[in-house]
Amino acid sequence: MTRAPLICPSILASDFAKLGSEVAAIEAAGADWVHVDVMDGHFVPNITIGPDVVKALRKHTSLPFDVHLMVAPVDPWLEAYREAGADILTVHPESGPHLHRTLGRIRQLGAKAGVVFNPGTPLGLLEDVIDLVDLVLIMSVNPGFGGQAFIDASYRKIERARALLDAAGSKAHLQVDGGVTSANAAACVSAGADALVAGTAVFRGGPDAYAANIAALKAV
Ligand code: DX5
Ligand code: ZN
């Protein structure tokens, strides 16, 4: 029996003029985590959410903040996002010279540590940091923008990550991010994912649609 995945709406697709009510609305609609896409205009070609915005949002929901850092160098920003209220900090191996140290630092700050693999990033290095991670994120698009199409080769990568985690006896979450919809959510879960990020698929239709959109993603 497959268990319903955790749904992590990416607020990148929300109405930025109403962020407080948007996070409250997804909580009421059944979201599990709030996925916060942090982009610096350097590591990825877009600029989004600074720590002060995360801090301001913290009082609008009690859901965990799952902060996906697309920032390089990433190390100088860990503490600020943790202090702003991040529960999970997820980093790209390309965003600093010492991934092992960065992941250790995140746990030292009291947050859960995540590592994220772009479509072109080899999964092999997961083996070297597997004991340091609470979450593995497989990107199913190239990071930088919402609303892109899911890359089908990601299923195989999810399966490979699941096999590595199981072989190591790791309880880390396996999350997928990019182009996730109700049409491919079940296949992601079958491949081994237990957490799905979705921007467009959650926020389309406005607040009245959020509960149905989230339910459709959970219905695997
Ligand atoms: C891409 C971000 C994703 C993205 C998801 O860089 O990491 O979280 O916003 O948006 P959708 O679900 O619209 O692809
Ligand atoms: Zn993301």
Side-chain angles (χ1 to χ4, degrees), residues 10 12 35 37 39 68 70 139 143-147 177-179 197-200:
S10 163
L12 187 60
H35 186 82
D37 284 310
M39 305 184 182
H68 175 189
M70 288 162 271
M139 290 305 300
F145 304 97
D177 185 6
V197 176
T200 311

Side-chain angles (χ1 to χ4, degrees), residues 13-185:
S14 72
D15 183 342
F16 272 20
K18 301 180 188 158
L19 275 177
S21 63
E22 290 282 62
V23 295
I26 56 169
E27 178 167 17
D32 295 288
W33 298 348
V34 177
H35 186 82
V36 181
D37 284 310
V38 175
M39 305 184 182
D40 67 351
H42 165 74
F43 183 68
V44 290
N46 198 358
I47 296 181
T48 57
I49 298 170
D52 287 347
V53 178
V54 174
K55 189 173 176 188
L57 281 177
R58 192 55 287 186
K59 58 181 178 293
H60 292 271
T61 175
S62 57
L63 293 180
F65 277 0
D66 161 30
V67 177
H68 175 189
L69 295 169
M70 288 162 271
V71 172
V74 73
D75 289 343
W77 293 101
L78 300 175
E79 197 168 345
Y81 282 94
R82 173 63 181 150
E83 278 176 5
D87 297 281
I88 303 166
L89 289 167
T90 299
V91 297
H92 287 258
E94 299 89 346
S95 65
H98 306 293
L99 177 63
H100 191 279
R101 177 183 286 149
T102 300
L103 293 168
R105 177 73 184 137
I106 292 171
R107 281 187 167 176
Q108 205 177 53
L109 289 168
K112 300 226 184 289
V115 63
V116 43
F117 295 88
N118 281 337
T121 302
L123 194 59
L125 67 82
L126 175 57
E127 293 184 81
D128 297 278
V129 294
I130 206 157
D131 293 333
L132 290 174
V133 297
D134 305 291
L135 178 141
V136 176
L137 171 54
I138 303 297
M139 290 305 300
S140 38
V141 299
N142 285 294
F145 304 97
Q148 303 181 79
F150 187 95
I151 297 169
D152 284 335
S154 311
Y155 296 124
R156 180 72 193 117
K157 201 159 184 176
I158 298 164
E159 289 172 0
R160 288 164 55 217
R162 170 49 61 203
L164 287 173
L165 291 170
D166 289 352
S170 169
K171 297 271 175 282
H173 289 287
L174 181 52
Q175 188 181 50
V176 184
D177 185 6
V180 173
T181 67
S182 56
N184 56 33

